[in-house]
Amino acid sequence: MPICGQQRKAVPIVSVFLRLSRVKGLAMSKGKVLVIDDEYGIRSGVDQILTLEGYEVAEAETGKEALAALDREPFDIALIDYRLPDTDGLTLLQNIRKRNLDIMTCMITAYANIETAIAATRQGIDFFLPKPFSPEDLIGVTETLIRHKLLRKEAEELKKAHEASLLALASEKSQTHSLVTSLRDAVLVVNRTGEVVLANPAMGKLLRKEEDSLLRKPAAEILAAEPFAPIRAALGQATGENTVFEIEMGDQQFMVSLTPFHSERREVLGYIATISDISEVRRLALEKSRFIRTMIHEFRSPMGAVKSILEVALDKSMGDGLEPYLPLLDRAEKRLDGLVELIGNLLSLSKIEAEGKKKVAFEPVDASAVVKEVIELYREKLQARNLRVEVQMEPGIPRIAIPADDLRTLLVNLIGNAVKYNRDGGTVGIQANRLDGKARIDVTDTGLGIQAQNLPHIFDEFFREKRKETRDIEGNGLGLAIVKRLVERSSGKIEVQSTEGVGSTFSIYLPLNPLR
Ligand code: ADP
């Protein structure tokens, strides 16, 4: 802290006014100064000089008056005389500091010595102006104090801003860290010299190593295994471009993306490699294209059959009369019916897929009513094949928590199969009862049964048993796939028990309406 104005020749205060040729306007105050001195001459002299300089000045004769003024209004500067009638400057300074004011303080005293200066400094004085002082000294010190105050404020604001940005940076850093750590994709960051600077737990898992043990190792070393050769090569000849390619490890496929990161001057500082397991995506894509191939085949064969029948009829190759063609036309109609059913089933499947897991609003359904309705649908077929229907519904079974349309569709498919794959004169059974808080509905038949090796595939799309007994039975292999999806989306499950040549039982378990 500078101690200004060593003892030098004082300029009498009265002469100050004469020397001040410039009279300032009262436009805007340069700052507020409180002068605390018991000497009237000093107080009013300081007051007049600083007022002329554009400051707002208040005077206090005693320590008590000074504190009262400071409690009343804010000041930028307090000029404090060392010797006051009711207290000394240091005690007053202490009291000012206790108030935690945003104020600059300057001791003015005729008893300036180094001890006083040290004591005042300890109390946190900002400046020291020994008496007597010249108007220039006073003005200079006041200006300096105002400047210091501004600087102190700016420094505090800068500090606050810096702390805030440090905090933001720290939280951004920790967010980035937890983001990278929790990523399912493996992430490896390599610097310009090919050294690993970051590896996330997924990367550690992929390489079967602790991710921290990978740090600072050459990427070429940790990626030495054969499946990673394309990554090593890509890093070796990296051109600063984004590169995307696939690698294989056993039966898994991965997508690798190499992205350069740059300095502010656009120099490549290193690469970020993300390795994502795309096996499931690939499997789904394969399944989808297999599905489409089968679907095209399912469309082509009945259309081909109908076309040949129409050709025979149009060529009149069996004569002019309609009679000989009737069995053929009947067959064409059946194939077209099959096609219509196929389209209906495909639409149902795609509707279920589009609706996904979303819960549709529905009223819990009375299963007995739906069972009756579906049996009615098959009445003709049942009679034609002399099939007996046995229905056993546990009395008072509460409503089932499934949309009525879904229950209808799945019963149409299961009862339809029990009719289709039955032997003439056989039985179709429908039992419903309560089991462990769920509804269990069994659809039983006494027909062809299913071969044991085919049971695991029975719910796959387009799966049909290829047996001589089933060869002439119409179908497209989508019914059970639809049933399974409908049951599962109502949080239920389906099971099948079957013995070849004896018959099958399909059991569905569905939640009951929780309100009854
Ligand atoms: P679709 O009956 O149209 O062929 P599904 O998906 O309903 O299609 O059934 C798939 C296959 O499961 C059938 O082709 C048949 O081989 C077998 N299957 C289904 N239900 C029965 C059943 N009740 N008895 C014997 N086999 C059945």
Side-chain angles (χ1 to χ4, degrees):
M1 185 203 67
I3 298 176
C4 61
Q6 288 303 311
Q7 297 282 6
R8 63 178 137 110
K9 203 167 158 285
V11 179
I13 293 281
V14 198
S15 67
V16 162
F17 310 114
L18 308 172
R19 290 170 55 187
L20 279 167
S21 49
R22 295 167 294 142
V23 177
K24 301 274 155 97
L26 286 170
M28 219 176 67
S29 158
K30 283 178 166 178
K32 277 174 80 177
V33 181
L34 177 65
V35 50
I36 311 153
D37 203 309
D38 57 340
E39 251 182 83
Y40 172 74
I42 298 283
R43 277 201 323 270
S44 62
V46 169
D47 191 338
Q48 292 180 53
I49 296 166
L50 293 183
T51 306
L52 277 171
E53 274 301 307
Y55 295 93
E56 246 181 275
V57 183
E59 297 175 26
E61 197 178 335
T62 61
K64 204 172 156 205
E65 266 182 45
L67 291 175
L70 288 168
D71 288 340
R72 217 171 26 241
E73 53 186 314
F75 285 92
D76 297 304
I77 298 171
L79 300 173
I80 309 162
D81 183 21
Y82 186 65
R83 289 212 168 152
L84 291 166
D86 56 344
T87 181
D88 66 285
L90 286 182
T91 316
L92 177 60
L93 189 62
Q94 222 173 359
N95 281 321
I96 294 176
R97 286 282 162 247
K98 267 190 212 152
R99 281 171 164 72
N100 240 335
L101 302 172
D102 182 20
I103 191 168
M104 302 297 289
T105 49
C106 175
M107 191 70 80
I108 44 174
T109 176
Y111 308 96
N113 60 34
I114 194 76
E115 284 78 28
T116 332
I118 290 172
T121 311
R122 286 220 177 101
Q123 296 296 336
I125 195 88
D126 297 304
F127 236 86
F128 204 84
L129 178 63
K131 283 181 189 168
F133 47 80
S134 68
E136 286 85 2
D137 286 342
L138 177 66
I139 294 164
V141 166
T142 312
E143 274 172 2
T144 310
L145 285 170
I146 288 286
R147 222 176 23 252
H148 273 218
K149 191 176 175 230
L150 274 176
L151 284 174
R152 194 165 72 184
K153 200 163 173 206
E154 269 172 31
E156 263 164 24
E157 270 163 17
L158 273 175
K159 194 175 152 211
K160 267 192 211 146
H162 182 62
E163 275 166 4
S165 66
L166 273 182
L167 222 100
L169 190 73
S171 86
E172 199 177 295
K173 258 187 161 177
S174 77
Q175 275 172 12
T176 313
H177 183 260
S178 45
L179 190 98
V180 172
T181 306
S182 56
L183 274 181
R184 273 181 54 205
D185 292 344
V187 177
L188 189 75
V189 183
V190 175
N191 68 13
R192 206 180 344 213
T193 58
E195 235 178 45
V196 175
V197 289
L198 189 148
N200 71 348
M203 189 72 216
K205 209 168 145 204
L206 189 71
L207 297 172
R208 295 199 178 85
K209 295 227 163 72
E210 272 295 314
E211 70 264 25
D212 286 346
S213 73
L214 306 173
L215 294 180
R216 284 174 290 283
K217 296 249 170 65
E221 183 186 315
I222 67 157
L223 298 171
E226 189 45 36
F228 300 118
I231 310 184
R232 289 199 310 271
L235 278 173
Q237 15 169 299
T239 55
E241 298 294 311
N242 217 350
T243 334
V244 179
F245 52 91
E246 285 181 26
I247 59 170
E248 270 183 30
M249 280 175 79
D251 54 2
Q252 283 177 292
Q253 284 98 25
F254 295 88
M255 165 106 80
V256 183
S257 158
L258 273 191
T259 313
F261 57 97
H262 299 96
S263 68
E264 274 172 15
R265 285 166 36 221
R266 300 295 305 154
E267 293 162 327
V268 175
L269 295 178
Y271 286 87
I272 305 166
T274 44
I275 306 172
S276 332
D277 189 342
I278 51 163
S279 318
E280 185 59 11
V281 182
R282 282 272 172 281
R283 192 188 62 74
L284 287 175
L286 268 177
E287 222 169 69
K288 197 121 239 157
S289 72
R290 204 175 302 136
F291 179 88
I292 290 170
R293 270 202 313 275
T294 319
M295 189 178 78
I296 291 169
H297 172 78
E298 291 293 316
F299 269 93
R300 204 164 48 190
S301 83
M303 282 165 95
V306 171
K307 189 169 182 279
S308 332
I309 292 168
L310 288 179
E311 274 168 7
V312 171
L314 287 171
D315 289 351
K316 296 192 175 163
S317 36
M318 291 163 80
D320 282 347
L322 186 61
E323 204 61 33
Y325 300 101
L326 287 181
L328 280 182
L329 292 176
D330 191 48
R331 175 138 190 78
E333 191 190 20
K334 280 214 173 76
R335 297 304 300 258
L336 286 176
D337 283 346
L339 210 52
V340 170
E341 195 183 320
L342 173 68
I343 292 168
N345 281 349
L346 285 171
L347 282 175
S348 300
L349 269 182
S350 81
K351 188 164 165 254
I352 298 170
E353 205 158 286
E355 285 170 355
K357 279 262 167 209
K358 90 165 186 267
K359 292 266 172 260
V360 275
F362 64 90
E363 281 285 306
V365 68
D366 173 6
S368 317
V370 183
V371 167
K372 263 195 208 134
E373 205 184 301
V374 177
I375 293 173
E376 201 48 43
L377 268 181
Y378 286 103
R379 179 158 304 283
E380 264 181 44
K381 280 191 180 143
L382 288 162
Q383 277 169 1
R385 307 225 10 234
N386 195 23
L387 293 170
R388 209 153 54 91
V389 183
E390 279 175 9
V391 182
Q392 279 179 346
M393 307 289 287
E394 186 185 304
I397 195 166
R399 286 169 176 263
I400 300 174
I402 185 169
D405 277 349
D406 287 7
L407 185 65
R408 194 173 300 112
T409 307
L410 67 88
L411 285 176
V412 163
N413 277 291
L414 292 180
I415 297 176
N417 281 352
V419 173
K420 254 193 328 188
Y421 299 103
N422 222 320
R423 61 178 164 77
D424 289 349
T427 306
V428 173
I430 299 139
Q431 289 98 39
N433 51 8
R434 222 186 309 205
L435 193 90
D436 301 334
K438 285 191 184 301
R440 171 181 168 156
I441 304 177
D442 286 351
V443 178
T444 314
D445 67 71
T446 50
L448 304 175
I450 300 160
Q451 291 179 332
Q453 74 272 21
N454 289 329
L455 282 173
H457 307 291
I458 212 79
F459 297 102
D460 294 352
E461 289 141 357
F462 295 116
F463 180 84
R464 304 204 72 211
E465 271 201 308
K466 288 186 180 64
R467 285 158 64 186
K468 70 172 179 342
E469 298 93 321
T470 58
R471 203 172 39 210
D472 295 328
I473 301 176
E474 302 286 342
N476 53 40
L478 291 178
L480 288 180
I482 292 172
V483 169
K484 187 166 191 277
R485 280 175 171 73
L486 290 178
V487 171
E488 285 175 353
R489 81 166 174 184
S490 281
S491 312
K493 64 170 185 170
I494 180 158
E495 284 171 358
V496 56
Q497 282 183 343
S498 187
T499 310
E500 195 183 342
V502 176
S504 315
T505 298
F506 285 85
S507 308
I508 51 173
Y509 301 83
L510 286 164
L512 290 168
N513 176 19
L515 299 178
R516 271 194 55 196

